[in-house]
Structure formats: structure tokens, C-alpha cells
Amino acid sequence: MADLVAVLATTHHPFYYRTSQLPPEERPPFAEEWISKIATYRETLTRARPDVLVMVGSDHFHQLWLDNMPQFLVGKAPFYDANWENEIREFGMPKLLLKGDEELSAYMLREGLDRGFDLAFSNELRIDHSVTCPILTVRPEADLPIVPIYTNIFAPPLPKPERFVQLGRTIREIIDAWPSHLRVAVIGSGHLSLELGGPRQFGPTGPDPEFDYRAVEWISNGDIDGCLREVTLDSLHAPGNATHGFMDFMLMMGVAGHEKANHADHLSLFHTMEAYFTWYPNPHLVDPPLGGVPTIGATA
Amino acid sequence: MSKYLVNKFLYTVDRDHDLTERYRTDPAGTVAWWEVEMAGTLLNAIDAERTTWLSFTDAERDALVAHDHVALFEMGAHPFLTLTLWIAMFERDHPEPLAMQLDYAARLAHVTQPYPDITT
């Protein structure tokens, strides 16, 4: 059976790449701490030595559109071109070409369908920054094959938070049952409180820091039940009009299960809170073993 | 009200550099041309399969022609699409980083929750 060696849940900030590429003298004051936290976070994946990455993200109206919007979609292609013209224009991100793992995609689709998720699929998926931001931060070599999974957190009607958690649990079951010798990491990206295109956008902090701190606690502690008690599809409007991206964090909590994160860290930026979490389902598969390398903000 | 068609306009203009520039410099001409030539185009089909029934309301057409992002927000246009296109068109006119985005937000300061429904 395959080994699930790491589960990572992260915010995806499209300006990180550009910020990190600036000469030190041109970087904004928060850049050094941000870059340092990312370097530590990257190590949490490196030490898991994955062979393949399952990448959970959400298309931002790039390829998936309102004439045919899937709620959950699995990429099933040998390669994925990545980053779109208007992301390059707005964020300065590079174009990428990522390898796919068609075997795991096919298995994920078959098993997902059989386990109660009517997953859509795409044989020609162009990836956007919800997936490429984590690639550029935790695997900048972009050398591992991926299986992209897109969720709809963007175009109502949306699935409920419970459904995201259920899909996460199902993804975990499917990977655990995959007849393969490969080491798999699941990396998902979402938002904490976020406002885009509304009156509370781009403030000195995220639109709802209180929500952000509670969210960090839920995720750090694997408190799926507490999170589900307080978060509903309707309530997610209150912390900011783009906060439904938090449901991708809930999906990742489903993958990780009711476990405390082995690494949890966050950083308040001018309009959002960044947050980074890593779980190791089997501590014996991590190199060096858990506890060998202290990590900033680690909770276990 | 056709939130879908307004979003389709924002989506198709934002993803095409030439169209973005054309909409910036000639909003009335671009909106008029788009409604005739593009509104009915199924994005994944040949021209012979055009949609036969979609059109803007007068209020939608006026808001798009006026580059009125506040009116578009109040109509329930998808805020991500509007913001992204406005950044592409108008960020260059502001000397300070984020000045455009903050001005954009300030013009929406009167808006309180619940925000207009963006469901199409």
C-alpha cells in the first residue's frame, strides 16, 4: 500500500513569489520573517521525502466557468501547464509545467465515485495559483508528479463545509488503500478571513483577525468537530466575502483527521493572515524522525 | 438582471490583454461590440452554436459603460472578477502600491452585510 507521509495545509499568497525574488534592499519590512517561515515550512515537506503530491486547490475562474461548474474535479493528465496570463500580469508569477500521475488520478476518480463523490475530471487542466503557490513555496523544484483536485469555493451554490471534510476523509481512505509503493503527500491551500472586491479589502490586517486566530486553533488542534459546530456556509460570509476558501482548510483537516498538527505557524500580513500546518500520519516515515529538527511554531 | 452575462463580460475581458485595454480606453464601444459579437458565444463551441437569448439590462449596460464598480457590486456581479479587471485597467493610474485597491474599497464603504447575493 502507498504511504501517506505528510499532509500540508497552507494559505496561498500570490505575492510571495515576487516578494521573495526581490533583492533584499528592495523587500518590504515583513519579507524576511515571511521568507524564513516559508523556509521552515518547506523543510516539513522535504523531510517527508514524497514521491507524488496530491494538490488541493480552487480554480479562480480561469478554466472552470459558470457555464459548466463542477463542485469537485480531479485532474487526469500526464502534464499540467500552470499559471495564467492575468496571474502573470497581476502577480508576476512564472509559467510552469508540472508532471501528472495519471495512475493515481485514475484510481482517485474510480474510488471517489465508488465512495459517494461524483467527481468531475479533466484531461487538459491548466493549473492556477491555488496550486502553484504551494509548489513555489514548499517544492520550488517543481519536480514531483501531481494529482490536482479542484474544489468550488467560489461560485455559489457551494457544497457545505461538512462535504469538504467528508471529501478530505475520503481522499485519505483512497490514498491509504492505493496499491502502490509510492510515498504520497497531500498539500491543500485555502484562505483564512479574506475580502476581495469589497469594502474591507486590503486593510492593515485580515478583515477578521478573531476568526483567523480561532481558525488557527481549530486546524492546529485537529478540532474538526469544534470547527463544524461554528462554521456554516452562511456564517462564512461574515469574516470576509472570500472566506469560503477556508473550506479547503476544512478539507485538509478531513485528510489529517482528529490530530494535532506537527507543525503550525502563522503570520499576519497587511490584508490577510498567512498560516501553515503539517501533519505526519506516521512519524516513523519522516527523516529525520520527529523531534530531530525543531520547527518555528511547532505544536508537537 | 443577468448576473451571469455581466460575469461573462468581466471574465472574457479580464483574460484577454487586448480586450482589457480596449475596455479601458473605449468602454462604450467595447460594451456595445461585446454584446453583439461576444455575449452569445458559447465559450467552448464554434460560432454556429451561439446562445440566442442573452442580453444586458439597461442598468447593467450603463454600469459597464461607466466603469462603475460600485453599481456592479450592488447588482451582484462576482467581486473577484470585477476587482481583478479593475486592477488590470486602473492600478497603473495610482502612484502608490495598493492605492487603487484602497480607493476601490473606499467607494464601497457604504455597503454593509449582508452583501448582495452573487449567486447566478
Side-chain angles (χ1 to χ4, degrees):
Chain A
M1 292 298 113
D3 287 320
L4 179 62
V5 291
V7 179
L8 275 70
T10 169
T11 42
H12 61 257
H13 198 308
F15 286 116
Y16 177 77
Y17 176 76
R18 185 148 71 184
T19 302
S20 67
Q21 299 300 303
L22 290 170
E25 65 274 14
E26 293 179 22
R27 289 175 184 164
F30 52 80
E32 297 308 322
E33 184 181 13
W34 198 5
I35 291 169
S36 172
K37 284 177 180 284
I38 290 292
T40 301
Y41 189 49
R42 181 179 308 146
E43 177 57 24
T44 71
L45 179 68
T46 304
R47 68 193 293 198
R49 295 183 287 107
D51 299 310
V52 57
L53 307 176
V54 174
M55 304 291 303
V56 177
S58 299
D59 181 74
H60 295 69
F61 280 152
H62 283 120
Q63 184 164 353
L64 307 183
W65 174 240
L66 296 167
D67 61 357
N68 192 7
M69 178 59 71
Q71 301 295 354
F72 300 113
L73 178 144
V74 177
K76 187 181 177 298
F79 292 94
Y80 299 93
D81 286 297
N83 289 331
W84 290 72
E85 283 296 317
N86 57 8
E87 294 175 302
I88 294 162
R89 176 189 74 202
E90 191 171 344
F91 309 132
M93 300 187 74
K95 291 209 174 187
L96 296 173
L97 177 64
L98 304 168
K99 288 183 290 188
D101 186 322
E102 285 190 277
E103 181 186 336
L104 180 53
S105 289
Y107 184 75
M108 189 79 70
L109 283 162
R110 181 70 262 161
E111 289 294 312
L113 290 166
D114 293 346
R115 292 167 190 258
F117 280 90
D118 297 328
L119 302 169
F121 66 90
S122 170
N123 289 126
E124 188 180 5
L125 188 66
R126 188 180 189 95
I127 300 299
D128 84 1
H129 71 273
S130 69
V131 167
T132 58
C133 287
I135 290 288
L136 291 167
T137 52
V138 298
R139 193 72 182 188
E141 305 92 328
D143 58 340
L144 296 178
I146 68 167
V147 172
I149 299 177
Y150 268 162
T151 68
N152 176 20
I153 48 87
F154 209 63
L158 309 177
K160 290 183 176 179
E162 293 87 342
R163 194 66 172 153
F164 282 74
V165 174
Q166 289 165 2
L167 179 58
R169 288 182 176 136
T170 301
I171 290 170
R172 171 71 173 268
E173 291 171 7
I174 291 171
I175 292 170
D176 284 342
W178 187 32
S180 166
H181 65 284
L182 296 180
R183 297 165 66 94
V184 182
V186 187
I187 304 172
S189 80
H191 311 135
L192 301 183
S193 73
L194 185 64
E195 176 113 334
L196 293 171
R200 295 181 291 167
Q201 67 178 8
F202 294 101
T205 67
D208 192 338
E210 183 182 339
F211 174 87
D212 294 341
Y213 285 113
R214 286 163 62 213
V216 167
E217 287 298 306
W218 288 325
I219 303 168
S220 301
N221 294 321
D223 186 8
I224 296 172
D225 299 334
C227 184
L228 281 173
R229 272 196 301 272
E230 295 198 39
V231 171
T232 68
L233 209 47
D234 288 338
S235 78
L236 283 173
H237 290 286
N241 68 349
T243 309
H244 288 91
F246 178 65
M247 292 195 293
D248 279 342
F249 271 117
M250 298 184 73
L251 188 157
M252 297 309 298
M253 293 169 75
V255 177
H258 294 82
E259 300 291 335
K260 288 197 172 193
N262 296 101
H263 173 89
D265 202 4
H266 61 275
L267 175 67
S268 184
L269 288 181
F270 54 90
H271 71 292
T272 184
M273 183 178 285
E274 297 294 282
Y276 316 106
F277 308 91
T278 301
W279 293 261
Y280 296 123
N282 184 344
H284 303 295
L285 296 175
V286 179
D287 182 26
L290 278 186
V293 176
T295 57
I296 297 171
T299 57
Chain B
M1 176 64 199
S2 173
K3 284 186 280 189
Y4 171 71
L5 193 62
V6 171
N7 287 344
K8 187 175 177 179
F9 176 89
L10 300 169
Y11 173 69
T12 55
V13 172
D14 178 65
R15 71 205 319 250
D16 182 315
H17 291 306
D18 292 340
L19 262 183
T20 302
E21 294 306 305
R22 188 170 161 190
Y23 181 44
R24 171 184 157 92
T25 56
D26 178 19
T30 306
V31 171
W33 168 84
W34 190 92
E35 193 168 2
V36 172
E37 299 294 336
M38 295 281 290
T41 302
L42 270 176
L43 301 182
N44 198 26
I46 62 172
D47 206 43
E49 314 294 357
R50 291 174 63 83
T51 297
T52 58
W53 51 273
L54 281 169
S55 63
F56 291 130
T57 65
D58 288 344
E60 290 165 347
R61 198 176 294 113
D62 291 347
L64 291 170
V65 168
H67 285 158
D68 187 346
H69 77 265
V70 175
L72 292 170
F73 187 92
E74 291 170 343
M75 289 175 182
H78 199 291
F80 182 88
L81 286 170
T82 314
L83 173 64
T84 304
L85 179 55
W86 257 238
I87 290 172
M89 292 196 295
F90 302 123
E91 190 175 37
R92 72 189 80 167
D93 299 329
H94 297 259
E96 294 294 323
L98 291 181
M100 180 262 150
Q101 289 86 339
L102 293 173
D103 175 70
Y104 187 109
R107 292 172 192 269
L108 287 165
H110 61 285
V111 176
T112 56
Q113 290 192 319
Y115 295 166
D117 184 7
I118 63 168
T119 306
T120 48

